Amino acid sequence: MAYEKSLGIIKPDAVERNLIGSIIKIIEDNDIKINQMKMLELTSSMAEEFYNIHKGKPFYEKLISYMTSGPVVLMVLEGNDVVKRYRDLMGKTNPEDAAEGTIRKLYAKDTTFNSVHGSDSIENALTEISLFF
Ligand code: UDP
Ligand code: MG
């Protein structure tokens, strides 16, 4: 089991609903370390670069406008097996499919406004972290 990093984002819908503290508590209670953190509003070019892999998909424009609609919290998460452990903690993209107790089950509004991001691989985590830190 490797010590890894993941990029976590508390997305605008969650910041707007005062859920920063609740989400951070879940992260910390699950033995994930927040080693860097900052809050900012993503510009369109930042959001477009970050979600470049989804360019051209039907939800892309909506995703970019959502991610630039208000401040986000960016976090460098660290711990053993953190990429998978944080993905499991977030739950499935569509909150209707997310397991009980996951962040998205608890807080996400729908498949787009789903409150949190987490890197999906060790390699992507390093790329994503380098965009913001
Ligand atoms: N998304 C969306 N509609 C979809 C799939 C994804 O609006 O059908 C949004 C949603 O905010 C999601 C993000 O695009 O978190 C990135 O999609 P991805 O498939 O990478 O999901 P994730 O890795 O965040 O679970
Ligand atoms: Mg993804």
Side-chain angles (χ1 to χ4, degrees):
M1 199 160 62
Y3 190 83
E4 299 167 356
K5 296 184 184 194
S6 181
L7 182 78
I9 305 180
I10 303 176
K11 294 181 174 181
D13 69 287
V15 173
E16 162 71 24
R17 287 177 290 147
N18 291 356
L19 293 170
I20 296 173
S22 303
I23 291 170
I24 285 178
K25 175 144 178 64
I26 294 173
I27 292 169
E28 292 189 325
D29 283 351
N30 281 274
D31 202 26
I32 292 172
K33 201 85 198 159
I34 300 171
N35 276 347
Q36 297 190 72
M37 178 161 74
K38 62 185 172 189
M39 185 169 184
L40 54 82
E41 288 195 33
L42 298 184
T43 62
S44 295
S45 65
M46 287 162 96
E48 284 166 10
E49 189 172 6
F50 182 71
Y51 278 126
N52 187 42
I53 46 159
H54 294 305
K55 198 176 169 116
K57 292 185 186 168
F59 60 85
Y60 178 75
E61 304 297 337
K62 188 178 172 192
L63 175 60
I64 298 303
S65 102
Y66 158 51
M67 290 301 291
T68 56
S69 67
V72 299
V73 176
L74 303 164
M75 301 169 288
V76 178
L77 307 176
E78 298 190 29
N80 286 322
D81 202 21
V82 76
V83 168
K84 180 178 188 305
R85 286 203 299 120
Y86 181 56
R87 293 283 299 187
D88 288 348
L89 209 52
M90 289 197 311
K92 294 270 174 60
T93 310
N94 179 348
E96 287 177 12
D97 301 331
E100 289 300 328
T102 59
I103 297 169
R104 283 169 167 168
K105 182 71 172 189
L106 286 166
Y107 300 127
K109 298 208 258 193
D110 59 35
T111 302
T112 298
F113 301 89
N114 60 4
S115 304
V116 281
H117 167 83
S119 308
D120 64 4
S121 71
I122 295 171
E123 192 184 20
N124 286 341
L126 298 180
T127 307
E128 291 177 3
I129 289 167
S130 73
L131 284 176
F132 299 118
F133 291 92

